[in-house]
């Protein structure tokens, strides 16, 4: 704890840089981010109302057939989505940033910050050059898989409708290993949310920059295949990475609990507490997975983001610790990825 008195939650929340590291965008785009819409959990009005300073908006593409047609459609959609995310920078008071320096400058100027990202390595098919195309459009991370295996790696959740076996590659494929190297070269973070345990552990060993989980929870508290076990948490710590606890009720509490009550912000912070105690506060962050299934009681949309800060404050976290959870840890690994890219270039 610091010796400086901590201000009330609402005041504290608005003095730190808050970054939600995983938010899907609705698709097809309805051009309503600036104006807001009842169907959205995150838009500009809600971000401003909730004191959410920055958001990683994600070009998400679900897993389909691993053939030429499937890959082409996935790539086209990801590129189109990234262009829509880039266009948010034309809205007054919004700035799209792809460097830590840019994020800090935009926040200091009072702008809402958008950081583009991609969810699912299926979007590149077998074409590694698409990673550079994504990076050119501002993407700062790519999630290696979604639900279902792809050409890069095995997923935590093989899909029966895709005829997935338990494993195809035993973790990362040779192409997946090349993809990790290419992401390191370009300064893109490797996101291991959704990946099989084998994939995650191999990515940690292979990547020259810290890897992270942009939207995952703790398996010790909720035994879900999408969550990270203690050994995986320890591996994240060892590589300097971060787990971003996410507001997905099925990842926070098991079904027997969810059948009796709503999952709350307190449940969310229980996962933060566990991860902080296990691997240290510098390796823990926050995400919502809003507009991709996320949303819990007390943090149902971006306008309610201050409730999370209030719960953290109630648990005894101080200003610097809350700032680390809300964004500083993510900016640290972003910066490290930039530095690794500089050494490779």
């Amino acid at each position: 704890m610091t010796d400086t008195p901590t201000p009330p939650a609402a005041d504290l929340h608005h003095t730190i840089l808050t970054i939600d590291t995983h938010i899907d965008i609705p698709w097809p785009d309805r051009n309503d981010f600036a104006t807001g819409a009842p169907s959205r959990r995150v838009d500009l009005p809600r971000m401003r109302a909730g004191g959410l300073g920055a958001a990683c908006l994600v070009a998400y593409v679900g897993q389909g057939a691993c053939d030429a047609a499937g890959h082409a459609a996935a790539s086209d959609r990801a590129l189109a989505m990234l262009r829509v995310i880039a266009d948010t920078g034309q809205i007054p008071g919004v700035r799209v940033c792809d460097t830590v320096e840019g994020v800090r400058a935009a926040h200091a100027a009072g702008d809402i910050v958008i950081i583009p990202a991609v969810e699912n390595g299926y979007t590149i098919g077998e074409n590694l050059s698409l990673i550079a195309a994504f990076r050119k459009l501002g993407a700062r991370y790519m999630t290696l898989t979604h639900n279902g295996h792809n050409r890069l790696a095995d997923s935590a959740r093989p899909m029966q409708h895709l005829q997935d076996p338990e494993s195809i590659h035993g973790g990362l494929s040779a192409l997946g290993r090349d993809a990790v190297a290419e992401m390191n070269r370009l300064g893109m973070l490797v996101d291991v949310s959704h990946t099989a345990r084998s994939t995650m552990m191999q990515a940690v060993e292979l990547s020259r920059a810290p890897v992270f989980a942009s939207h995952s929870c703790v398996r010790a508290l909720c035994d879900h295949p999408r969550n990270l076990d203690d050994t995986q948490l320890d591996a994240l710590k060892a590589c300097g990475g971060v787990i971003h606890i996410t507001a997905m009720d099925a990842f926070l509490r098991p079904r027997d609990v969810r059948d009796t009550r709503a999952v709350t912000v307190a449940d969310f912070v229980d996962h933060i507490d566990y991860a902080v105690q296990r691997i240290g506060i510098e390796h823990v962050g926050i995400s919502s997975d809003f507009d991709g299934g996320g949303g819990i009681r007390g943090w149902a949309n971006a306008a309610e983001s201050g409730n999370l800060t209030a719960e953290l404050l109630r648990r005894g976290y101080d200003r610097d610790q809350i700032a680390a959870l809300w964004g500083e840890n993510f900016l640290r690994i972003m910066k490290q990825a930039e530095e690794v890219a500089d050494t490779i270039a």
Side-chain angles (χ1 to χ4, degrees):
M1 297 294 189
T2 63
D3 294 329
T4 304
T6 301
D11 293 341
L12 184 152
H13 185 73
H14 288 273
T15 65
I16 62 176
L17 173 49
T18 51
I19 305 175
D20 183 337
T21 60
H22 196 90
I23 297 167
D24 289 14
I25 65 168
W27 198 256
D29 180 58
R30 301 185 301 263
N31 195 32
D32 56 8
F33 178 77
T35 57
S39 59
R40 297 186 76 131
R41 292 180 185 264
V42 179
D43 49 37
L44 187 56
R46 288 179 175 86
M47 289 184 70
R48 286 177 171 154
L52 187 60
C56 293
L57 294 187
V58 176
Y60 157 68
V61 179
Q63 186 64 37
C66 288
D67 56 25
H71 289 152
S75 301
D76 287 348
R77 171 169 160 167
L79 290 166
M81 295 177 87
L82 285 172
R83 293 185 188 105
V84 166
I85 294 168
D87 285 346
T88 61
Q90 299 176 18
I91 301 167
V94 177
R95 202 180 307 186
V96 176
C97 301
D98 66 350
T99 67
V100 172
E101 182 181 10
V103 170
R104 293 202 185 280
H107 180 68
D111 290 335
I112 295 290
V113 178
I114 300 300
I115 304 166
V118 176
E119 184 173 19
N120 200 355
Y122 175 60
T123 54
I124 74 163
E126 299 177 349
N127 183 0
L128 288 176
S129 70
L130 283 167
I131 299 175
F134 295 163
R135 182 68 190 90
K136 188 174 182 180
L137 287 167
R140 280 309 308 264
Y141 74 75
M142 183 172 74
T143 319
L144 292 175
T145 69
H146 192 253
N147 297 331
H149 308 316
N150 61 37
R151 292 290 192 240
L152 303 184
D154 290 341
S155 168
R157 300 187 69 187
M159 290 288 100
Q160 187 174 16
H161 74 277
L162 296 171
Q163 289 79 53
D164 282 344
E166 187 64 24
S167 172
I168 293 177
H169 311 291
L172 287 167
S173 68
L175 182 69
R177 291 173 177 272
D178 289 344
V180 169
E182 178 69 352
M183 292 167 73
N184 286 172
R185 185 184 74 83
L186 295 167
M188 286 179 65
L189 288 164
V190 176
D191 177 15
V192 294
S193 286
H194 282 286
T195 67
R197 188 180 189 279
S198 55
T199 299
M200 181 268 180
M201 298 296 281
Q202 290 167 19
V204 165
E205 291 296 322
L206 184 63
S207 178
R208 295 174 58 177
V211 306
F212 84 126
S214 70
H215 59 305
S216 294
C217 294
V218 172
R219 194 151 190 174
L221 299 184
C222 183
D223 188 13
H224 191 287
R226 276 277 286 103
N227 288 344
L228 303 189
D229 63 31
D230 286 353
T231 303
Q232 290 175 286
L233 293 176
D234 294 344
L236 275 186
K237 177 180 181 178
C239 79
V242 182
I243 178 175
H244 291 256
I245 304 303
T246 199
M248 184 74 75
D249 62 354
F251 303 165
L252 291 166
R253 290 297 177 217
R255 182 172 293 280
D256 62 335
V257 174
R258 290 183 282 119
D259 285 344
T260 61
R261 65 169 177 84
V263 175
T264 69
V265 166
D267 296 307
F268 186 101
V269 179
D270 285 347
H271 282 249
I272 288 179
D273 284 347
Y274 185 98
V276 166
Q277 291 162 15
R278 177 81 192 189
I279 59 176
I281 198 160
E282 64 270 33
H283 301 290
V284 187
I286 291 168
S287 69
S288 66
D289 205 5
F290 284 151
D291 294 320
I296 55 177
R297 180 171 291 179
W299 199 28
N301 60 65
E304 296 183 342
S305 298
N307 291 339
L308 191 51
T309 297
E311 179 64 16
L312 289 166
L313 192 61
R314 189 186 70 79
R315 303 264 181 127
Y317 291 90
D318 65 25
R319 182 191 186 283
D320 289 345
Q321 293 171 325
I322 294 171
L325 293 166
W326 258 122
E328 293 301 323
N329 292 337
F330 180 63
L331 292 180
R332 171 180 58 78
I333 62 171
M334 270 185 68
K335 185 64 175 177
Q336 287 176 274
E338 293 169 12
E339 291 167 351
V340 167
D342 287 343
T343 66
I344 297 172

